[in-house]
Amino acid sequence: MNFMIIDGNSIVNRAFYGVRVLNAPDGTPTNAVYGFLAILQHLLEELKPEALCVAFDRKEPTFRHQSFAFYKAQRKPMPEELAVQMPLLKEVLDAMGIPRMELAGYEADDILGTLSRIAEEQGDHCFIVTGDKDSLQLVSDGTTVCNVKSRMGQTETILYTPERFREEYGFEPPLMVDLKALMGDSSDNIPGVAGIGEKTAMDLVRRYGGIGEIYRNPAALDVKDGVKKKLTAGEADAHSSYWLATILREVPLEKCETCPDGNLGAECFTWQLHRTPELLAVMKRLGFRRMIEKWRLNEIEAGSASAVSAEAPADAAAPAETVEVDREELLQELRAKLRHGILTAVWLPAEGLGELDICFPEQPEKVYHLSYLMLGADYEDFCRELFSAGVPKTAHQVKDLMNQLNSEGLSRDGFVFDTALAAYLLRATDSSYTLPLLSERYLNREIDGAAAVAALTPVLQEKLSQEQMTVLFEEIEMPLCRVLSEMEETGFLVDRQALAAFGEALNSGIAQLEEEIHALAGHDFNILSTRQLGQVLFEELMLPAGKKTKTGWSTNVDVLEKLRDKHPIVQKVLDYRTLTKLKSTYADGLLKVIAPDGRIHTSFQMTVTATGRLSSTEPNLQNIPVRKELGAQIRTMFAAPDGKVLVDADYSQIELRLLAHISGDRTMQEAFLSGEDFHTVTASKVFNVPIEEVSHTLRSRAKAVNFGIVYGISAFSLAQDIGVRPAEAREYMNAYLNRYSGVRDYMHNVVEQARADGYVRTLWNRRRDLPELRSSNFNTRAFGERVALNMPIQGTAADIIKLAMVHVRDRLVRENLQAKLVLQVHDELIVECPVEETDTVIRILKEEMEQVASLSVPLTVDAKAARTWAEAH
C-alpha cells in the first residue's frame, strides 16, 4: 500500500509564500490554505496514495527545546496572516476526511519518522511530503521523500529515492544527519562545528562517513590543519548538533488526540475524498470556487437538505430532459411559443450554427435540441425567426453569440438578458463566470447549456433588482453587447507597410543601442537578462542603490529610474527595453493580427475589470503608449481609408469632474463652472498665487496632486512624481484638502461607509465588494481604502463612457449615417466616417457624450478629425 504522509507546517509555509494574496469573502487571508490544497491535488494525481495523513507541529516546546534552549530560538513568530489560516486548514482537512496527527513535545518530523518506520516494517511504501531537507535522512528502499517547491501557484516535486539521493549527495541518506552535525543549520539554530561550511562538511562525509568515523582520530584525517583544529574544538557541538538533527522514530503516537484505532499501520489511514455538503459549505465560505470545481464538489446532490440553497428555486434539482426536435408538429409548437413572445434561452452546443438548444425559463427542465442535420431548410427558417427582433432571448456571453450570428447572416436583435453579464455585475471581482460555476452557486447543482441559462435567468434578474442594478444592466450593459459586436466586426484599418517599416527602424535603433551599451560595459552580454545586467551594473560598474533578491540583483524599472543620472548606460538600457517592447508587442505583434481586410479586429472584454471598464485583447489596443513619441508613431499606423477620416472624441478631466460632483465640494464645482483651466485654478488656490502668476511648474504640481488624490496617492509617491521631498509633498496635499474640504470629507466618509457596508457603488449602482478592508494585513487594508476612494469615481466614468457609446451608436444609425464606432480607449471614442460626414459626427459625439449624464459640473468633450489616430488624438 502507498502511504503518503505530509509535513503540514512545511507545506503550508511553502503555499503561503508561493501563492499570491487571496482573501475569503469576509476578508480572512486564504492563500496558504488554497495553495496547500493545490499542492495536495497535484500530489494525489502524481503519487496516487491509498493512505494519507498530515502531521503538524504544536506550539508547546519539544523535547529538543527542553534540552537546548537555543534550539530554533532565533525563529520569528509565524506571520499573523498565516497563523489565522492554520485552524482553517485543519477545518478543511477534517471536512475532507483526511487524518491529521500532532502531539505536544514532538515535531511533525518525528511523527513522519515514526509513521514511516511503522509503514516500512509492515511492508508498505511511504511517501514523505515536505518542503524541507531534514527528512532526507529517512530515505530508504521503503520510504521516498517528495521535496515540494511551490512558486506562483505552480508545484514542482523531486522524488528522493536512495539512488537519487546518492547521485546528488554522494553518500547514504542516514548520513544527512552527520552532514548537518558538521555544517549546522541556521534555520533551526543548530550550531554545527564553528568554521565548517557546507562544502567542507560534504567532503568530510563523502570521504570518511559519519561523525563517529571522523572523530575516531581527527589528527589522521587527510585535511588541512585548520580544518582539524576546527573539528577538534567543535567536537561537543558536533555531537549535540547530531542529536538535535536526528528525527525521532519512536513517538508514542497513541497519545495523539486524533490517533486512529488499530496498530497505526497504513491501513489505519486509508482515505478517499469525502464529498459532503459540509466540505462544500466550508469551500464556499472560503471563496474557493475553482477548488470546488477541481474537487468536483458540485457533484453533491442538490436535493440534500444541507446543500439546497435558499436562493435556489424549488424545482432547481430536477434533471433536464433533452427533446430531439425531429417532427413537424413539435417544430410548429416551438414556433408558436416564439410568436407569443415567450422569453427563450439559447445555447450553441458546438462550434458554428449547425445545431442549437433552446429552453424556456418557465420550464427549465426541458431542453429542445434542433439541428440542420435533422430539419434541413426548416432549421434555417426557424433560426431566422428565433434570431429576430420580435423574439426576446436570454443567453450566456451574448456579445460573442452576436458575432457568430452575424457571421452566418443572422440578426443580432432581440437579446434581453445575458447570464454572464448579470453574474459579473453581482460579483465583479470573480475570475470566472462559467455556467457550471454559476449554476452551482445560485442553483446548488452543476448544469450547463440552455437549461442553465433558463434556470439562472429569473434568479439573476431578481438579484439584480435587489441590488438596484436593473437600470445599469438594461440601459448600459445589455445594449453595449450590440455596440461592441459591431465594433469588432468593423475593426480598425492599419497601414501594414508603414508598420513593417516601423519595425525595421526599431531594429536599427535596437542594434545601435546594443552596441553602445556593450561599449559602456566593456564587453557583450544579454541586456534583457536580469542576472547579467545586474552583474554589469552593480558588480562591474559598482552603481549604488542595488537591491539583491534571492535570484540576483533587481533591475526593474523603479531601480533603474533612480540610477538614471548615475551612469549613461542606465538611460540606454531603459531606451533599449522600450524599443524591444515596442518591437515585440506592437510592430511584430500587430502585423500578426491584421486580417485579410487590412483591419485589426480586437476583442472587447466585458467581464474582466472590477471597475467596470472595458478591456481589449488579441490585440490590446487600449494599452498603446499615449504620450511617448514612439507610442504616437504606432498610432500613425492606424488610419482611415481613402475618402474617410477618424474623429477622436475625449472627455476632458472626467474623473476630476466626477470627484467634484460625488464629493459635493462647492469650491471644486465652482472651479469647473468658471471655465478656467482647472489645474491652474487648483495651483492658484493651493499655492496662494494669482491665477495669472501660476507658472508651468506650479500647474504641473497641482495637476499631479489633482490626479493623485483621485487614486489615493501617498505623500512619498507624490514626492517622487514631482521631484520634491516627501514633507513638501505632504504640505501640498494638506493645502489641497484644506482648500477642497468637501473632498477631504468625502475621502474619509467613503472609506468609513465602505468599511461598514463591505462595498462601494457608482452613480449607476455598479458595485465592488471590498473584503480587503477587513483584512488583518496593513497593506491589504490600505489597498482596500484606495479602491474605496477611487472605485465610485473610476467606475462611474466607466458607466458614462459605456452609456455614451450606446447613445452615439444609436444616433448614428438613427440619422442614417455611414459613420461607425471603431474603438474605445477609457475616456476616448474613435469614429470612422466619410469626409462629408465629419462636421455632423463631431457634433453628434459632443452632444451625446456631454449630455449623457446630468451632473453638478459640465462634462466637456474635445473632438478632432484627421486621417490617422495620432493626428486626431
Side-chain angles (χ1 to χ4, degrees), residues 652-725:
S652 174
Q653 302 165 345
I654 185 171
E655 292 188 354
L656 291 173
R657 293 171 187 271
L658 287 171
L659 176 61
H661 175 80
I662 292 173
S663 69
D665 189 296
R666 291 300 305 163
T667 304
M668 182 175 281
Q669 291 172 1
E670 289 168 2
F672 279 116
L673 290 168
S674 71
E676 296 278 358
D677 174 73
F678 180 68
H679 300 311
T680 301
V681 173
T682 298
S684 173
K685 292 181 180 299
V686 171
F687 301 117
N688 292 313
V689 296
I691 284 182
E692 59 273 13
E693 294 181 18
V694 172
S695 66
H696 174 74
T697 299
L698 290 181
R699 183 185 181 278
S700 296
R701 290 180 177 179
K703 182 177 180 180
V705 177
N706 276 327
F707 287 112
I709 289 292
V710 173
Y711 288 94
I713 197 171
S714 67
F716 179 79
S717 297
L718 177 63
Q720 288 189 312
D721 289 347
I722 62 179
V724 300
R725 292 177 293 103

Side-chain angles (χ1 to χ4, degrees), residues 852-866:
V852 74
S854 178
L855 305 176
S856 56
V857 297
L859 288 173
T860 61
V861 172
D862 300 319
K864 181 181 177 183

Side-chain angles (χ1 to χ4, degrees), residues 85 129 154 190 234 266 375 517 759:
Q85 297 186 61
V129 177
Q154 300 298 312
I190 296 176
L375 299 172
I517 291 168
Y759 61 85

